[in-house]
Amino acid sequence: EEDVRFDIKEKEDTVSITVVGASGDLAKKKIFPALFALYYEDCLPKHFTVFGYARSKMTDAELRVMISRTLTCRIDKSENCGEKMEQFLGRCFYHSGQYDSDEGFAELDTKLKVHEVGRVSNRLFYLSIPPNIFIDAVRCASTSASSANGWTRVIVEKPFGRDSESSAALTRDLKQYLVEDQIFRIDHYLGKELVENLSVLRFSNLIFEPLWSRQYIRNVQFIFSENFGTEGRGGYFDNYGIIRDIMQNHLLQILALFAMETPVSLDAEDIRNEKVKVLRSMKPLQLDDVVVGQYKGHTEGGVTYPAYTDDKTVPKGSLTPTFAAAALFINNARWDGVPFLMKAGKALGSKRAEIRVQFRHVPGNLFKTKLGPDHDRSTNELVIRVQPDEAIYLKINNKVPGLSMRLDRSNLNLHYAARYSKEIPDAYERLLLDAIGGERRLFIRSDELDAAWALFTPLLKELEEKKVEPELYLYGSEGPVKAHHLAYRYKVQWGDSDNEHR
Amino acid sequence: EEDVRFDIKEKEDTVSITVVGASGDLAKKKIFPALFALYYEDCLPKHFTVFGYARSKMTDAELRVMISRTLTCRIDKSENCGEKMEQFLGRCFYHSGQYDSDEGFAELDTKLKVHEVGRVSNRLFYLSIPPNIFIDAVRCASTSASSANGWTRVIVEKPFGRDSESSAALTRDLKQYLVEDQIFRIDHYLGKELVENLSVLRFSNLIFEPLWSRQYIRNVQFIFSENFGTEGRGGYFDNYGIIRDIMQNHLLQILALFAMETPVSLDAEDIRNEKVKVLRSMKPLQLDDVVVGQYKGHTEGGVTYPAYTDDKTVPKGSLTPTFAAAALFINNARWDGVPFLMKAGKALGSKRAEIRVQFRHVPGNLFKTKLGPDHDRSTNELVIRVQPDEAIYLKINNKVPGLSMRLDRSNLNLHYAARYSKEIPDAYERLLLDAIGGERRLFIRSDELDAAWALFTPLLKELEEKKVEPELYLYGSEGPVKAHHLAYRYKVQWGDSDNEHR
Amino acid sequence: EEDVRFDIKEKEDTVSITVVGASGDLAKKKIFPALFALYYEDCLPKHFTVFGYARSKMTDAELRVMISRTLTCRIDKSENCGEKMEQFLGRCFYHSGQYDSDEGFAELDTKLKVHEVGRVSNRLFYLSIPPNIFIDAVRCASTSASSANGWTRVIVEKPFGRDSESSAALTRDLKQYLVEDQIFRIDHYLGKELVENLSVLRFSNLIFEPLWSRQYIRNVQFIFSENFGTEGRGGYFDNYGIIRDIMQNHLLQILALFAMETPVSLDAEDIRNEKVKVLRSMKPLQLDDVVVGQYKGHTEGGVTYPAYTDDKTVPKGSLTPTFAAAALFINNARWDGVPFLMKAGKALGSKRAEIRVQFRHVPGNLFKTKLGPDHDRSTNELVIRVQPDEAIYLKINNKVPGLSMRLDRSNLNLHYAARYSKEIPDAYERLLLDAIGGERRLFIRSDELDAAWALFTPLLKELEEKKVEPELYLYGSEGPVKAHHLAYRYKVQWGDSDNEHR
Amino acid sequence: EEDVRFDIKEKEDTVSITVVGASGDLAKKKIFPALFALYYEDCLPKHFTVFGYARSKMTDAELRVMISRTLTCRIDKSENCGEKMEQFLGRCFYHSGQYDSDEGFAELDTKLKVHEVGRVSNRLFYLSIPPNIFIDAVRCASTSASSANGWTRVIVEKPFGRDSESSAALTRDLKQYLVEDQIFRIDHYLGKELVENLSVLRFSNLIFEPLWSRQYIRNVQFIFSENFGTEGRGGYFDNYGIIRDIMQNHLLQILALFAMETPVSLDAEDIRNEKVKVLRSMKPLQLDDVVVGQYKGHTEGGVTYPAYTDDKTVPKGSLTPTFAAAALFINNARWDGVPFLMKAGKALGSKRAEIRVQFRHVPGNLFKTKLGPDHDRSTNELVIRVQPDEAIYLKINNKVPGLSMRLDRSNLNLHYAARYSKEIPDAYERLLLDAIGGERRLFIRSDELDAAWALFTPLLKELEEKKVEPELYLYGSEGPVKAHHLAYRYKVQWGDSDNEHR
């Protein structure tokens, strides 16, 4: 029953973490800093080594310089931060090789063995490389650099294919070299603090579970917005679009966690079983239930905001959506008829990721005449703000203090920054730690991935075959107007659209 | 459907408010200031007059001086405060007379008529006098100073008798001169902002009503504590004791409001009907389910705290309880088996009045092993702090941010002072305004009073007949230890006893 | 707590029951037989006397002959039936007088006193006379024939006015001579065995109450049909119509009993309080939500069925509805949005009175594809058949035994005739016994009556002012087709319209 | 979505059913008759062959004679019964061989091929042989008689081991030769009509699911009783005892079906997933929560009933229980704290298998004083009688018709024999048909079996190690008195112990 995460440190085994694609952006910005943070927090195993692997030639020292630029201590004025950094960097090494080179990985294997000095050897490969070379790297790592006497695990990053077929092919290929238990498909949203907290809220508090169903919940919204565009890096994005980039994975994963039945235990397999059940209870998205948009440029107050297609890395005339909204339905006893709305976009007015649970109207409401004219605004709402500025708040109606009987909506509020002084760890830290500890709860299983693609693939094909034109929206705006129409169609409103009542 | 309170101002009728017992403490500290606050807030009728009536000889000017000492403006640096005070005092007058003198009231009548100048006359008598002269004053006011063409209403303050018999006698006597609609029995706790808010919370929010029953609520606690003793004014108190002084009225009224079924409307009669139903569903208190205490003196840090019986106005050897705790039960479908605990005491460690709703344990709790050893402390709790420092908060379990899965209890919090900048009106303001407006919701009907006494009378008699000795507790402490035993007996804990988790 | 009904027999008091209008149909068919049945069952007080009072001249012996023609023993071959009849008839007497004659009633008083022989005197007057002479009779009975030392009660039969105004006037007039507690307004439907059983079903069984709300119930239907027309006695009926004759009283009373909240006790006042709350939570009927019909004649198989307007006692061109269907709504937390459908008609295809509770569809139904095409027919239904052939049955889906997975709808059935061998007493017996015992539960209080009229009066006026033409339907048919449209409008179907699935 | 069962007939494939152990009792009494019944009902595939395989020498003709003795037509006077029998017998063949003989099975393979005449070959082996030769037979069938181009399936009968270890060993051995999908572990109780109906009742009716939890259900009872003892055939039984013979499989399987969460679909894997979740949520049985008994002989009315140990096939002094009662608990949100009671025994007073769902008391029951003194007897109960004489009934409280307010308990009843004229098929027919159709819903998966043994193994070991002596009970009685104590301990009563209220 004990927390698996803290068993790690006690072991005499070695763990070697190889970041394949060590010179890439993700590695520099997220992976190495997360590894250092874990080290700083004393969460890594006693005997660990970090290896960078990439095509470029580099010395260990050069790698350390490169890494060191992005390391930060959790709290700026932390004690011993510099000293700890030195120690960490001293355990970082580099090996140069091609991603499809058995030789390169065999050489890596030799170096790893030196560091393992005969201890039980556990090896984690973090594949931070483009999808087209995934399988080659997996093959080489598996064939030439697997652990002989401990475990070998591979973390892969999205994209996991572009549709059901390509995803299934990728899985099939991975399984030539790895068994299910060795594959750690990362969705870093699942590592977010408040996403982790979702199950705690529901299952450790008596008061939420009775409300968690169609009987009381009118709709649930999953909102992701960025306040910047592709900014010259649209090449990859244009091939995928916002639906594949955000919805089909991050938002859908959160939806599944949100909506699942109580698992039989907190074990990874039990939770993932329940998530798959949710996905299987949903019917594939209909074009009717989807809105796509693309941002356009404009000039305001002397500042010029570019259109998506102004990005030089984006093909002229691209129809790739930078915004999408969708309504999904779960056909089971708990959620039958409840719209699950999703919205994701780039170049919008704000940056946020949140879950909004809108409750139904009070039947036979005694206070009907005391509430404002917009009754939808007087229903209860539970907001879980995943980022930035983590918070949970519950909107309730309340008597305005004073001699008259006037009601307004106040928040029962839990603001993390105010309540918890410690900095909240980055999602990558949690996920790396879990991968090292073998905790699979927050990683995506093959059947989950299949079920997720099954929901989106027909829609994605239809969008592409019919060349559906996205609605253009201003950079920095609220996004396409049709997103509101979609909500109205199901008699609800987006919870984030009314600034006063956020 | 409109708020009755703001109809008042439009009328051409006059309203004359006579404070009978004008020179008493309550009049000076609460009634006149509340009337001024209403005036300052522009809530009084256009044509109003305030009369003080008492035995002592005084001029109008003297009354005004007396009153003016206790008037304050809501916000200290309010605009025009001085000017408004002058205007208000200009409408205050005094008449001296005996409380049982028809003549005195007839003279008052003559004076009132002068001020009414032929307009429709409405008269409100606020009886701020000892109980033994209630009836005489009511008789005289009714016979000699009733309105001829408008309404006449009488506000009476507790005590409303000492038991079922004396209360019934009092009601019978009042009804010789007044009909039910003219009697306004005040329980100023019902005028408290958060007590008023109770119905709003339950009935205008979807999320509370489903939880409001035995299925989810383990127990409810009504806690009243004062951090001072009788302080030389124990004469009145000793005759009544804490049960009659606080429990049988204030706490029981709040319990009835808390536990009632949804009324058919917000009308006074409908709400009071439901409250009576609650009281009738309860069985009379058993001695077994009651703990009584009395504070004793001690010296600490050089300060000496007196015992109750050190008070010179208290008879030596008095057994009057200054503390009581009780467990009550409501035998209906909603509350069958749920303990409603009450606790009220003087000379305790803190000053507060609050309602604590403790929810049940989570069945089949997945997080059992992640919660602390005291599972009772990890259940949800809704706290409604009536005074001081009004607040509503909901204790929930939450993941402590960080890499491990640790839970703690946080508050979803609504702190009134932070949310609402305006000062919260005193309960007396609301109640006076309601009496003027004819709104009876917050006043106690005769059948309510009967039902309330029926619950407590057998116990009170038994305590007195058996000369039950109160447990002595230190001035400034938490009160008798037996109060904890009472809670344990029903497998619960007092929510206010654990400082860390308040 | 004991059953009031069986206290009656023990008392030494006398009870005199005067049937005013003793020669009328109701008296002969229902009242005297019910009195005899009570006597036969040994339920009447030891000292009782029955008096017939009417205008026609008759001897006691003639009355006895008249009565004896309609008396039957409960079970045909009952023991001692003849003997019991003789005893009963020996306690029946007659007095002739005008209904507005103080003298007549004073003479009656004298005769009653003879029979009372100095015992405590209790007097029950059953007014079985036309409405226009109600008040006169009440005045005379009250003034000249009241009991001097016991109770005096008056049973009145519908019609209780034609609308809010006339009903209020009638109540006002009654209250000149009687207080509320003396007035027993009879609605004989409330005395029906299965209507009595409604509260038992709901409140003594755990399994029904959780289902008794908008969450599970899609709609409720109250159906009354007769398979004969006015048959030459349309004079009275034409002045009232089916809405006043059946809906506004019988069906609405049953609806209120069905839908009420749990009363605080089984006492009459507590139950009637809850019924009034239901009525007050409803909004007045809209013309839109009502269908009216009138039967027309036709010839089939050589038999000719007359039209309503063929009845000689009915004015030519009468627009009086002989059929009505209506949709009503209760605006409270339990029933918000649930259609309560009513249907009442004469000259229809069958004779029945029943309550049908149709439950909602199963959300996320796993067996969707196994159910027939008409999903409405596969929802659960609880049927309470009030008459004839009393029964309760619950329609459930069930696997058809056999190797395939086919479902059909079966009944969980409680058929009274099969379960209970004893004959079910007539409603009048119960009501007479209750009136004698002072049990008011099944009688209609003045405020109930007001609330009932308030719902129907605007509609009735509109129907009359707009001269709304009823849809004609064939004698012996299912009634107007528009009744189906009304149901469809609220997405439901009449439960009695599908013979196969009754 | 279509019913898999009726696809079978359309196929051109052949299906060969080999009954291994063809001369045994089960084969004669159940398997061959079930196969014929399926044939008679036209449910078998077009091209099917039945082979008997056993050690004894027999000709095809002798087999046919042997089989024909036990064949019956569903309805005695069925049309063409004789003709159909002839046809069926014509497709039955015999092959003699050892169970561990590869040669024997290779010869069988040759014969099967002759009948398959080149069509796609599907082969079902029904192992009706003792457990000690299971694996040998499986090995031979798999190695030497598998289908080359279609499916090969093996039906195995209990016992599936004696405890966790032996069961795991058996599974391990089976999996050397078969994959999970080929193994059909039969529990014929899962094929019973009313067990099949359990899921239909719960999931296709709105009214049951809301009641299906700890909130409304006080306890659930699974009762199995036989009115005869081992009767000279105790050899096998004595090695297993009633717990292994009935509880750990039949009753536990029904419990899991009863208590499971809604599966995501009706597919076999989805249902079995949910059943495993139930088993995993239970804690292993404690000795404290178990009662064991053994029947003893007596003489009554001249008839002598033997003791278990009088059976010559039973070792003297055997402690093997012929009766057991147990209380189990499911630690999940739905069932936390609800006792699931089981009772199984031989040589009891009646023969029955039933599920009894006892509902909780009505909170705040208005009718408390109207119910009898034994309040447990006035709670609702749902009874599902699996055998004999299939029925479902719901006990409800009801007003006894008549003038007083007396309640009694009546049944809402669905009696199968009255409602459905067709004979109910034997469980073996359903299960054979499912095995042929590849429908695994009613068969036990390996992880289910593991979980089931995990619950019982510690108890079984403790019973044996401690040599716990069973309580002796009279042949034909109600069983050990301690079974009542066990129920009382959890404040419930066995539903079958009160003849009046069955």
Side-chain angles (χ1 to χ4, degrees), chain C residues 378-398:
Chain C
S378 66
T379 56
N380 297 128
E381 192 170 9
L382 175 68
V383 183
I384 298 167
R385 195 164 61 216
V386 176
Q387 66 177 36
D389 203 12
E390 290 83 351
I392 298 169
Y393 49 100
L394 184 55
K395 290 175 181 295
I396 59 166
N397 294 301
N398 203 53

Side-chain angles (χ1 to χ4, degrees), chain B residues 164-179:
Chain B
S164 289
E165 292 73 26
S166 53
S167 167
L170 187 62
T171 296
R172 206 167 44 241
D173 291 346
L174 283 172
K175 293 216 171 161
Q176 281 189 272
Y177 308 107
L178 303 169
V179 297

Side-chain angles (χ1 to χ4, degrees), chain A residues 304-316:
Chain A
T304 296
Y305 298 93
Y308 173 64
T309 49
D310 291 343
D311 187 322
K312 283 179 186 150
T313 60
V314 166
K316 290 299 126 197

Side-chain angles (χ1 to χ4, degrees), chain D residues 31-76:
Chain D
I31 307 173
F32 290 115
L35 286 168
F36 171 60
L38 290 175
Y39 178 73
Y40 182 81
E41 294 285 324
D42 211 15
C43 295
L44 289 186
K46 197 161 25 166
H47 307 296
F48 81 95
T49 312
V50 173
F51 256 84
Y53 184 103
R55 283 175 301 197
S56 34
K57 301 286 174 199
M58 221 189 302
T59 62
D60 292 347
E62 284 166 340
L63 176 84
R64 288 169 189 164
V65 169
M66 182 190 87
I67 294 176
S68 66
R69 289 196 195 107
T70 57
L71 298 194
T72 52
C73 290
R74 274 283 172 81
I75 302 148
D76 280 343

Side-chain angles (χ1 to χ4, degrees), chain A residues 56-118:
Chain A
S56 33
K57 301 284 175 201
M58 221 188 303
T59 62
D60 290 348
E62 283 166 341
L63 175 83
R64 289 167 188 165
V65 169
M66 183 190 86
I67 293 174
S68 67
R69 288 196 196 108
T70 57
L71 298 195
T72 51
C73 289
R74 272 284 172 81
I75 302 147
D76 281 344
K77 279 152 201 164
S78 305
E79 256 179 290
N80 311 323
C81 182
E83 193 179 317
K84 287 251 181 180
M85 269 192 202
E86 279 317 299
Q87 289 166 2
F88 176 74
L89 290 171
R91 297 171 83 159
C92 294
F93 304 90
Y94 184 75
H95 184 75
S96 161
Q98 295 300 310
Y99 297 127
D100 60 352
S101 155
D102 276 319
E103 227 167 75
F105 278 90
E107 290 160 14
L108 174 68
D109 181 61
T110 309
K111 286 192 181 169
L112 290 175
K113 279 188 179 133
V114 171
H115 290 279
E116 290 163 3
V117 290

Side-chain angles (χ1 to χ4, degrees), chain B residues 37 47 74 79 143 161 169 195 200 235 261 263 380 397 412 436 443 448 451 453 463 465-466 469 492 499:
Chain B
H47 308 295
R74 274 283 173 79
E79 256 179 289
T143 318
V195 175
V200 176
E261 298 301 302
N380 297 128
N397 293 303
L412 287 180
I436 293 167
F443 297 90
E448 279 189 272
W453 276 120
L463 280 172
E465 280 159 16
K466 296 194 173 159
E469 299 219 7
V492 300
N499 282 301

